[in-house]
Amino acid sequence: MFDRPLKILMVSSEVVPFAKTGGLADVAGSLPKALATVGNNQAGHDVRVTLPHYKGIEGARYRMDFPVLFKNRAETAIIREASIDAQYQGEHRLVPVYLVDNHHYFYRDGMYMFEDEAERFAFFCRAVLEMLPRLNWQPDIIHCNDWQSGPIPFFLKVRYRQDSFYNKIATVFTIHNLQYQGNFPKQALSLLGVGEEYFTPDLLEFYGTVSFIKTGILFADVISTVSKTYANEIQRPEMGERLDGLLRKRSADLYGIVNGINYHEFNPQTDPRIHCNYSRDSLENKRENKYALQKEMGLPVKNVPVIGMISRLVEQKGLDLVASVMERLMEMDLQFILLGTGDPYYEKTFIKIKEKYPEKADIYIGFNAILAQRIYAGADMFLMPSRFEPCGLGQLIAMRYGTIPIVRAVGGLADTVHDFNPVTGSGNGFVFSEYSTEAVWHALSRALTLYHNDPGQWQRLVRHAMEMDFSWARSAVEYLQLYQEAISRHQKRAKTA
Ligand code: ADP
């Protein structure tokens, strides 16, 4: 399928295991591993990763430093090197990781939300590009992720356009969440090395600001997002976050590839974090996890349906819908367990429910990766009624652990969860469309009815969910096709330019 090995640079503001605030870090850490080991890897794709060297990252070796001419002065970029261990059929491959260091920009408490955010990430992007000839490594593809690396496609097309080292490099820009845009005052033009002539709506201007996500969308050879449905949704005004017009214009270059999960880390047969390992052939052990979870949470230990939720507590996640069905749910013989942190309003709302129904609901406010696994393993159902969801990982992990997702049909949820059909027995979860109390209630009722009335069918549903393949290996093949697409479009455009 691939006529030659590709050289791929993954650029991200966060990468597991070095720095993480959200799902982007998981993608940027896992996809390169899968790319380095995909198929039989005869082609030997050369994948490397780069991110800023934030305070707290340890163990990276000094590789080089050089000045970056930036804002009419020279800022020093120090490149440190580490690696990610990618395993394939018992073999180890090391994915090189380049960490861009600059004490002033990155040695701070926290990764984001600083006054000089535009300057920090414009510097990062310039340093990444300046690093490449010094490494003597010319990638075929630079894969940029979210607004923090949005300037890279712009720099390549404008600043480095005449330079033969750079002008063959094709770019992919992936949108993980369109809500986070990196919009800055007009003065940010100087950080991109251009003047007022670029401050027009068909170039960098975005409602009076300079938008880094727009630079990525506008100048990348190919754009992608993390599910096909989200790729369509963001071309409509309701979900387009004011970028729908531009995305429609580029729709021929816009793709959706659903994220994977790490099938080694998330494996109920080997996961050391859960009480009792199990597979689809030993589901009785899944019930032991339910009892252990109930005990851990201080709920009565009994065989009632347990509905789990693990989520950032933000508006996106549909928590008002959950709150609106809570009283009705609590009248039933079941338990509800929520693990999450975020907006204090939602934290309070759910703490009140726990106080009112201490025998039926438990809420853990905080981030706890071990408890998360125990909920994925111990719950029967996993609720995710999001307003919008670019991809969503929770439902994928839940299915891997045989926990049936109940989701709203948006973005990646629509692409990965298919409604159970009682006649044919097809489907891997329960899906509703309308953002309403009645719709979520109806989906919950259907799930609970099947659970109680037809345990045999429920078990088949659980097994079916566990059989789904949401591994990175599958998505990595799609990304490789996307890279080929980006290269051929880049070449075609270069010829016609
Ligand atoms: P998003 O990236 O929008 O937060 P996703 O479903 O894509 O949502 O990914 C969320 C990931 O973070 C999942 O792996 C989920 O298990 C994990 N997670 C979310 N909240 C918590 C928490 N409070 N404790 C532990 N893990 C959490």
Side-chain angles (χ1 to χ4, degrees):
M1 172 169 47
F2 310 110
D3 36 17
R4 66 185 174 85
L6 290 180
K7 284 186 257 173
I8 304 155
L9 179 68
M10 177 75 59
V11 187
S12 175
S13 58
E14 46 187 276
V15 180
V16 164
F18 303 97
K20 170 170 172 169
T21 67
L24 166 61
D26 293 312
V27 177
S30 308
L31 175 59
K33 285 204 262 192
L35 288 168
T37 57
V38 73
N40 61 10
N41 201 24
Q42 292 296 310
H45 301 292
D46 180 357
V47 192
R48 307 187 188 189
V49 180
T50 183
L51 76 155
H53 188 276
Y54 302 105
K55 184 177 173 182
I57 295 179
E58 282 171 2
R61 297 174 305 278
Y62 170 87
R63 171 80 190 246
M64 63 167 96
D65 65 84
F66 51 84
V68 176
L69 290 176
F70 185 65
K71 286 187 80 187
N72 297 326
R73 61 169 195 266
E75 273 289 346
T76 302
I78 303 167
I79 306 299
R80 304 186 192 278
E81 192 171 347
S83 58
I84 298 176
D85 191 357
Q87 281 187 38
Y88 176 67
Q89 293 183 347
E91 255 185 68
H92 290 267
R93 290 203 174 90
L94 292 180
V95 173
V97 178
Y98 304 113
L99 296 122
V100 176
D101 201 354
N102 173 290
H103 198 273
H104 168 63
Y105 289 134
F106 300 122
Y107 195 76
R108 301 180 184 183
D109 293 326
M111 288 159 59
Y112 307 126
M113 310 283 275
F114 296 100
E115 286 272 299
D116 55 349
E117 211 71 334
E119 189 172 327
R120 296 171 75 224
F121 287 101
F123 167 78
F124 169 64
C125 292
R126 282 290 313 283
V128 166
L129 291 172
E130 291 290 326
M131 164 183 82
L132 296 172
R134 292 171 169 90
L135 288 171
N136 197 18
W137 189 69
Q138 187 181 30
D140 301 296
I141 282 282
I142 299 186
H143 184 166
C144 304
N145 294 278
D146 280 351
W147 69 260
Q148 293 88 348
S149 48
I152 285 184
F154 172 75
F155 285 143
L156 284 172
K157 286 256 162 66
V158 177
R159 189 183 186 104
Y160 295 92
R161 178 190 193 113
Q162 309 293 353
D163 189 322
S164 63
F165 179 86
Y166 293 100
N167 62 18
K168 286 178 215 59
I169 303 175
T171 50
V172 170
F173 182 71
T174 299
I175 301 163
H176 295 263
N177 189 334
L178 198 63
Q179 249 187 1
Y180 305 109
Q181 303 189 333
N183 300 334
F184 303 106
K186 188 176 170 185
Q187 293 79 329
L189 285 173
S190 67
L191 301 168
L192 302 179
V194 291
E196 297 258 334
E197 68 281 10
Y198 277 83
F199 200 65
T200 61
D202 57 336
L203 289 170
L204 302 185
E205 194 263 342
F206 181 64
Y207 295 89
T209 69
V210 173
S211 169
F212 279 18
I213 197 168
K214 184 179 174 186
T215 59
I217 295 171
L218 197 58
F219 290 96
D221 290 301
V222 160
I223 306 144
S224 79
T225 183
V226 286
S227 68
K228 287 188 174 49
T229 298
Y230 191 61
N232 291 327
E233 288 168 346
I234 57 177
Q235 294 181 55
R236 297 199 294 266
E238 313 85 70
M239 284 180 136
E241 303 286 347
R242 304 192 295 178
L243 285 159
D244 47 292
L246 175 59
L247 289 162
R248 281 196 300 278
K249 242 190 235 163
R250 294 223 57 191
S251 67
D253 299 314
L254 174 58
Y255 294 80
I257 301 177
V258 94
N259 289 333
I261 53 171
N262 183 329
Y263 265 40
H264 299 291
E265 184 191 348
F266 297 117
N267 183 354
Q269 295 188 58
T270 53
D271 192 336
R273 296 164 291 195
I274 65 177
H275 176 71
C276 183
N277 291 118
Y278 60 97
S279 71
R280 54 181 183 265
D281 300 319
S282 56
L283 287 177
E284 61 287 355
N285 290 346
K286 180 166 168 60
R287 191 175 302 158
E288 294 305 316
N289 285 293
K290 167 150 72 182
Y291 295 150
L293 175 66
Q294 289 169 327
K295 211 165 151 194
E296 184 173 348
M297 303 300 284
L299 290 168
V301 176
K302 55 183 190 171
N303 194 18
V304 292
V306 171
I307 303 170
M309 261 193 101
I310 301 164
S311 182
R312 288 185 294 127
L313 301 182
V314 294
E315 201 196 354
Q316 176 194 335
K317 301 294 178 179
L319 296 153
D320 48 346
L321 279 193
V322 183
S324 74
V325 292
M326 222 55 217
E327 293 285 336
R328 271 199 261 179
L329 265 188
M330 293 290 101
E331 281 167 17
M332 303 174 82
D333 195 16
L334 53 74
Q335 292 172 353
F336 174 79
I337 295 174
L338 166 69
L339 164 62
T341 172
D343 188 334
Y345 168 77
Y346 294 118
E347 295 188 356
K348 272 189 222 130
T349 305
F350 285 99
I351 285 171
K352 269 193 209 142
I353 291 166
K354 166 183 165 157
E355 284 166 358
K356 191 164 172 194
Y357 301 99
E359 301 277 291
K360 290 193 171 177
D362 202 2
I363 317 300
Y364 183 108
I365 302 292
F367 193 93
N368 186 332
I370 293 177
L371 180 58
Q373 287 321 110
R374 293 179 179 167
I375 296 174
Y376 284 123
D380 297 293
M381 298 160 201
F382 189 78
L383 185 57
M384 221 167 149
S386 306
R387 273 180 196 277
F388 73 94
E389 196 61 72
C391 175
L393 296 176
Q395 83 280 16
L396 305 182
I397 305 171
M399 283 190 270
R400 177 87 167 132
Y401 285 76
T403 301
I404 298 302
I406 301 172
V407 306
R408 179 153 178 260
V410 284
L413 297 173
D415 291 359
T416 55
V417 184
H418 307 292
D419 198 30
F420 171 71
N421 180 329
V423 179
T424 61
S426 66
N428 54 9
F430 292 87
V431 182
F432 65 98
S433 296
E434 199 184 299
Y435 193 85
S436 72
T437 304
E438 284 317 307
V440 68
W441 176 249
H442 185 59
L444 279 162
S445 308
R446 286 195 296 131
L448 290 163
T449 305
L450 185 75
Y451 178 93
H452 285 299
N453 294 357
D454 196 345
Q457 183 67 276
W458 182 266
Q459 291 238 328
R460 278 192 291 281
L461 178 60
V462 168
R463 280 199 200 96
H464 190 206
M466 292 177 84
E467 279 156 14
M468 311 289 325
D469 180 5
F470 294 113
S471 63
W472 267 112
R474 206 178 75 149
S475 304
V477 170
E478 285 189 59
Y479 271 107
L480 285 170
Q481 285 161 348
L482 187 73
Y483 297 153
Q484 293 288 0
E485 205 50 63
I487 291 167
S488 74
R489 281 174 209 212
H490 185 80
Q491 287 168 348
K492 257 187 228 145
R493 285 180 190 134
K495 267 186 210 140
T496 53

